[in-house]
Amino acid sequence: MAQIPGGYSEIKLAAPETQKICDAVKSKVEEKTGEQYEVFNARRYRSQVVAGMNYVIKVHVGGSHYLHLMVYQNLSGEVTFNSVKKVEEPLEPF
């Protein structure tokens, strides 16, 4: 299925670049959730082209636990953490 202009992509397997984005925001996620994560592995993601890129990333944090992160990466590559959700729902923007 083709991506709708302005919409989010289909769900894709995380790549090394996706993990780098997660690593960049890990401390902000830990601060927001009040938890420390020994495991923090990007698994899947969706992206949206804007003036930069919005990402929704599913991150495995150990056991059967996952987080969904909303992250923005500007055109110069700087990454900004927006929000986190601790639920087992489909990977959707929030």
Side-chain angles (χ1 to χ4, degrees), residues 37-56:
Y37 302 105
E38 289 185 32
V39 176
F40 202 78
N41 298 320
R43 294 299 175 105
R44 296 187 181 352
Y45 75 97
R46 296 179 72 187
S47 59
Q48 177 190 39
V49 177
V50 291
M53 189 75 74
N54 284 324
Y55 292 96
V56 183

Side-chain angles (χ1 to χ4, degrees), residues 5-24:
Y8 276 84
S9 69
E10 295 296 315
I11 297 172
K12 301 175 187 175
L13 290 176
E17 300 82 32
T18 317
Q19 185 62 50
K20 286 178 81 172
I21 291 168
C22 290
D23 293 342

